[in-house]
Amino acid sequence: MSGQSLRSKGDAARDARDWAGAEKAYRDFLSSKPDDAAIWVQYGHILKEQDKSSDAERAYRKAVALRPDDGDPSLHLAHLLKRMGRLSEATEMFETSFKASPTGDAYGELLALRGERVDLDEDDSDETLTTSATFIEIDDLLGYLEAHKTLSGIQRVQVGVIQHVLASARQNENCVFVLNPINGDSLWMLKNEHLRELVDYVTGPNVDHEQLRRIVARARSGATLISPQAGQCYLVLGAFWGSGGVAGRYLHLKKVGVLLGVYIYDLIPITHSEYCDARLSHEFAMSFGDGMAIFDFVLTISDYTAREVIRYREKFNLPAMPVITVPLAHSHSDNVTPRKRMVWGPHIAQLKDRPYVLMVSTIEARKNHAYLVAAWKQFLEEGLDPPDLVFVGRFGWHVSSLMEMLELTRNLDGRVHVLHDLSDAELQTLYDGSLFTAFTSFVEGWGLPVGESLAQGRPCVASSTSSVPEVGGDLVDYVDPHNLRDGLEVLRKMAFNDAYRAQRERDIADRFVARTWRDVGVDLLEKVGKVRTTVKTNPSGEMFFAAGSVFTVSDLAFGTILPKDYGLSPKRLMLTDFGYTIEPHGCWMRGNKGSLRFRSDQPAGTEISVYLQFLSAPWANHDNLLSIDMDKPGIRPSSKRVDNKRSLAPNSRFLMRCSGTVGEKGSVSVNVVVSGHVPLEHGGPGARRFCVGLSEFGYTASADLVARVDMSEHFMFNAMGR
């Protein structure tokens, strides 16, 4: 068999996931064509799929040797070494790959493995866009799809906007989608062809999660490094709070004069934290507080959310910024049409000949499914024969009481059905066959299930609270989600009065006009275009920190009570360039170096003394030398004087002090460096690299002797109290 035939045979076996057949065909091919680096890579993939890690490593190394200037073979080898737990070798190989081909994949892995920012050369960036460019960040979409194969609310919004921009790429040629790695000072532009492949697949009828992950990896690896510049605009389209801190991802953009905006879905973790996971509420509150000091404008998905943002801003007397509503679409897709052929798959077959009411929503306390169960229980006790209740959605937070109620009543003797992981065809069938839909949520940022119901032509009973009436207008029948007596009469009329329900169907057919994702995309880009002509960015983003103040880092750790007015003094901003997530003991410094940055109330040129309470990691040793200094106005960084040094010992706490002068506009930067090897804390995924942490710091004017004594006594007594 010819070499080309063997190669084609191997490709076919690979595509059919016949790993053994592909291995043999590729091995036979390489016996006659040993210099084909691409097939050595494919051969390595096949061996890796069969858990033949040592053989796969040899294949990848052969490809690396054949193509030392191509970053792709070394990237695959690096991923294999990481999977094998050989993290030091993996880091070295990711560096080799990045030097050969600066890709987003290699960069992200280096950030994770090295635990500190990756130094970039100007030559690494091969894309410089015009000042009219608008960057749209979708990091959390890719992260979400690596963990889930079906889209949730925020991710559906991002996919909808991406589809619009890609469909009108010529009109929106200056609009690009980017990744902004946490702890990095870089932006990575995703290729349109990779995004098109991604959204087409994830919105298709059958989604295999492994294939989806491969598509995501392809998009990451193909991202191109770009250089942001003053005058450009940046919009956070997804979950701004989901990456462990806002400031660490956006201040590098502010420094070059990029205008920053964010799309806010709701403030529910702040305003209705009782319905949320405690950790989410804590992180969201800090991220939103940080963001109000950083973002230059805010877009919201509803007028209700806009009012909540403005109310928060006014409550704490924060600087004004534009808050503009860009309402969402009425449906998950612009192609919603009831189907003539209904698909009663195995998950929903039991409902085929039964009347039912549909509620499509995550099953969690905030969505208020218990309201409907209580109403149906009342109908049954009255001797009525209501339609069945069908809940479609995954279980979420705080649903134990609902689940207990359903268990004790045997799902109201079989009248309540709980379904999840349905195909699009099955969900469409449920909409088409329902009498009406219900959505009794306590609070929403928008209320997409209400719009989806109208787009499907189905009458809807929904909450009268928050943003929901913005979605449904007068085509929806509203209930007070806090008042069951009120809701019983509305639900009774819709469930048992066929003539009334038919009239509501006609009202929807006659008067409903769906807002599409194209409408959202056009509206969003137009409003971003207008706001960027009237708003100027504040390039600082540094937090004001008064002389004589002390910041105890653990005061912001999860488990503490976050100050209600955190947005007035978002102290976490000072740690932006320093470390990892705040913990009960403080904050570990990322890698070998970090900086604390803030704005002082002292005049420029004033000498100040900064006090820092450190703690060392269990593996710290005397080869690790810690030094601290301050940026000096007018002095080159290479010639700065180091004020203080100390050899480290394991598990120790100690106080250090440095002095320096306040820069222009009150700017202060305290730099911390640890020499010597800083190891990873452990070998698993998400391992961090650190040697020293910060538990507390403060400063005074050096000339203020009384304040210096008070500051010294504070740290001394705190140390004695431990």
Side-chain angles (χ1 to χ4, degrees):
M1 187 178 289
S2 68
Q4 185 59 43
S5 298
L6 285 169
R7 179 171 182 165
S8 298
K9 183 179 179 180
D11 291 346
R14 176 202 62 200
D15 295 342
R17 303 178 72 84
D18 174 11
W19 308 131
E23 178 185 352
K24 184 178 186 309
Y26 285 146
R27 185 174 62 244
D28 291 346
F29 172 85
L30 290 168
S31 66
S32 60
K33 300 274 188 177
D35 294 335
D36 194 320
I39 297 302
W40 278 110
V41 170
Q42 290 300 319
Y43 188 45
H45 293 344
I46 297 303
L47 294 167
K48 184 172 66 174
E49 289 288 352
Q50 301 175 85
D51 292 325
K52 298 179 179 180
S53 298
S54 297
D55 292 338
E57 179 183 350
R58 284 190 287 272
Y60 287 141
R61 288 194 184 279
K62 180 68 174 178
V64 170
L66 289 169
R67 288 189 182 174
D69 296 329
D70 184 349
D72 186 63
S74 50
L75 181 64
H76 292 300
L77 175 57
H79 278 298
L80 176 66
L81 293 169
K82 179 183 176 184
R83 192 169 83 165
M84 296 168 70
R86 293 156 59 181
L87 298 184
S88 178
E89 294 174 79
T91 302
E92 186 176 320
M93 195 53 60
F94 278 123
E95 289 173 344
T96 299
S97 174
F98 187 77
K99 288 176 182 177
S101 305
T103 66
D105 190 357
Y107 183 82
E109 292 289 351
L110 284 173
L111 283 178
L113 288 168
R114 287 173 43 176
E116 59 186 2
R117 286 175 167 82
V118 178
D119 293 330
L120 297 172
D121 297 327
E122 290 186 8
D123 293 340
D124 291 332
S125 175
D126 56 8
E127 291 285 347
T128 302
L129 303 178
T130 66
T131 56
S132 63
T134 295
F135 305 124
I136 300 182
E137 176 201 302
I138 57 170
D139 290 72
D140 75 306
L141 172 62
L142 269 59
Y144 180 90
L145 293 179
E146 287 168 335
H148 307 281
K149 69 175 186 177
T150 56
L151 298 169
S152 70
I154 291 178
Q155 284 70 42
R156 284 190 182 276
V157 172
Q158 294 177 84
V159 166
V161 173
I162 291 170
Q163 288 175 315
H164 162 69
V165 172
L166 294 181
S168 51
R170 182 167 296 179
Q171 297 95 311
N172 299 308
E173 60 183 355
N174 287 322
C175 180
V176 297
F177 294 95
V178 298
L179 301 177
N180 181 3
I182 187 170
N183 305 326
D185 284 342
S186 63
L187 280 187
W188 298 82
M189 182 174 69
L190 293 155
K191 290 183 170 60
N192 282 355
E193 58 265 30
H194 290 156
L195 283 174
R196 190 171 287 109
E197 178 188 26
L198 178 65
V199 297
D200 286 349
Y201 187 74
V202 78
T203 57
N206 299 301
V207 179
D208 176 77
H209 202 186
E210 287 305 313
Q211 175 64 10
L212 179 60
R213 288 192 181 109
R214 286 191 286 271
I215 293 172
V216 171
R218 195 150 49 239
R220 286 191 186 280
S221 186
T224 305
L225 183 63
I226 56 179
S227 298
Q229 55 185 301
Q232 293 171 333
C233 184
Y234 186 98
L235 178 67
V236 185
L237 190 59
F240 68 91
W241 65 92
S243 299
V246 171
R249 306 183 63 228
Y250 305 126
L251 284 185
H252 70 282
L253 299 172
K254 291 192 74 70
K255 290 174 184 176
V256 298
V258 173
L259 189 72
L260 289 177
V262 62
Y263 201 22
I264 300 289
Y265 295 80
D266 59 66
L267 298 190
I268 291 171
I270 295 175
T271 60
H272 296 78
S273 59
E274 66 272 20
Y275 297 129
C276 301
D277 175 78
R279 189 173 292 276
L280 166 68
S281 294
H282 184 89
E283 177 57 42
F284 185 98
M286 276 206 292
S287 291
F288 187 71
D290 295 343
M292 292 300 281
I294 295 173
F295 294 121
D296 299 304
F297 67 94
V298 170
L299 304 179
T300 65
I301 65 172
S302 65
D303 290 337
Y304 167 77
T305 300
R307 290 192 297 271
E308 290 294 286
V309 171
I310 293 170
R311 188 165 69 90
Y312 181 99
R313 187 192 71 200
E314 292 177 346
K315 180 178 181 180
F316 301 117
N317 197 29
L318 301 177
M321 67 173 70
V323 180
I324 304 162
T325 300
V326 179
L328 294 188
H330 278 104
S331 179
H332 292 140
S333 169
D334 285 349
N335 301 314
V336 177
T337 54
R339 300 183 183 182
K340 294 180 180 179
R341 189 177 72 85
M342 302 175 80
V343 181
W344 295 98
H347 295 100
I348 64 173
Q350 74 273 21
L351 297 167
K352 184 175 181 180
D353 298 316
R354 302 175 67 93
Y356 59 87
V357 174
L358 181 65
M359 181 171 179
V360 180
S361 166
T362 303
I363 302 172
E364 59 183 65
R366 176 169 63 88
K367 303 298 185 179
N368 200 17
H369 292 72
Y371 186 96
L372 292 174
V373 174
W376 255 243
K377 184 172 182 292
Q378 177 65 32
F379 293 152
L380 291 169
E381 289 175 353
E382 293 175 9
L384 298 172
D385 184 22
D388 285 5
L389 266 179
V390 179
F391 296 153
V392 177
R394 295 193 191 101
F395 282 103
W397 297 314
H398 309 314
V399 293
S400 56
S401 60
L402 172 65
M403 294 174 69
E404 184 178 5
M405 181 194 307
L406 293 176
E407 183 179 354
L408 291 174
T409 63
R410 299 178 301 282
N411 283 29
L412 293 186
D413 292 325
R415 306 304 290 269
V416 179
H417 309 264
V418 181
L419 308 172
H420 57 86
D421 290 336
L422 301 183
S423 69
D424 287 347
E426 288 174 321
L427 182 57
Q428 179 69 58
T429 295
L430 287 182
Y431 269 115
D432 293 348
S434 65
L435 297 180
F436 64 94
T437 70
F439 189 67
T440 50
S441 176
F442 287 113
V443 59
E444 291 293 318
W446 175 244
L448 195 58
V450 176
E452 185 83 10
S453 179
L454 298 178
Q456 299 280 359
R458 310 318 300 148
C460 181
V461 173
S463 298
S464 59
T465 60
S466 58
S467 62
V468 177
E470 296 180 49
V471 184
D474 64 357
L475 294 174
V476 167
D477 290 46
Y478 294 103
V479 299
D480 180 350
H482 301 279
N483 186 337
L484 182 60
R485 184 183 298 275
D486 165 71
L488 279 170
E489 297 313 307
V490 177
L491 288 164
R492 189 191 309 276
K493 187 175 183 180
M494 188 70 81
F496 300 108
N497 189 328
D498 296 346
Y500 178 74
R501 194 171 58 249
Q503 180 58 54
R504 293 306 271 163
E505 287 187 35
R506 289 193 293 272
D507 292 341
I508 295 168
D510 292 342
R511 296 194 284 115
F512 176 67
V513 178
R515 180 174 168 86
T516 67
W517 285 110
R518 182 183 184 281
D519 296 332
V520 176
V522 170
D523 192 16
L524 184 143
L525 294 181
E526 282 183 354
K527 286 174 177 172
V528 169
K530 288 179 181 178
V531 78
R532 66 185 299 171
T533 64
T534 58
V535 177
K536 293 184 178 179
T537 186
N538 169 18
S540 171
E542 293 175 345
M543 201 211 80
F544 174 78
F545 190 47
S549 302
V550 174
F551 173 33
T552 302
V553 178
S554 61
D555 285 349
L556 300 183
F558 173 68
T560 61
I561 299 176
L562 197 67
K564 293 288 187 183
D565 62 348
Y566 174 77
L568 189 60
S569 181
K571 292 185 172 65
R572 189 170 62 166
L573 290 180
M574 295 189 286
L575 303 174
T576 295
D577 295 325
F578 182 80
Y580 293 106
T581 303
I582 294 173
E583 300 175 53
H585 56 264
C587 176
W588 293 113
M589 186 176 79
R590 188 183 304 109
N592 290 80
K593 57 187 177 182
S595 297
L596 304 171
R597 304 184 193 280
F598 56 88
R599 276 191 305 112
S600 171
D601 59 352
Q602 301 297 298
T606 302
E607 182 170 314
I608 60 174
S609 297
V610 182
Y611 299 77
L612 303 102
Q613 185 75 46
F614 289 107
L615 61 156
S616 60
W619 46 80
N621 59 67
H622 292 294
D623 292 332
N624 296 127
L625 181 67
L626 184 148
S627 61
I628 57 175
D629 66 17
M630 289 178 57
D631 285 347
K632 313 291 193 299
I635 299 179
R636 298 192 312 275
S638 60
S639 63
K640 289 185 296 185
R641 176 174 59 87
V642 174
D643 293 295
N644 211 340
K645 296 182 180 181
R646 181 188 179 102
S647 293
L648 299 182
N651 292 317
S652 62
R653 289 182 177 270
F654 53 92
L655 180 67
M656 294 183 70
R657 182 176 67 86
C658 68
S659 60
T661 52
V662 175
E664 293 183 7
K665 299 181 180 179
S667 179
V668 175
S669 180
V670 181
N671 307 301
V672 182
V673 177
V674 173
S675 62
H677 176 61
V678 176
L680 289 166
E681 60 177 325
H682 56 71
R688 301 175 299 174
R689 190 181 298 277
F690 62 85
C691 192
V692 69
L694 181 71
S695 60
E696 207 171 25
F697 76 95
Y699 79 102
T700 68
S702 297
D704 190 340
L705 297 181
V706 174
R708 287 175 59 185
V709 170
D710 289 343
M711 185 73 68
S712 298
E713 288 183 346
H714 166 85
F715 284 102
M716 180 180 67
F717 287 131
N718 270 9
M720 292 173 60
R722 290 191 179 94

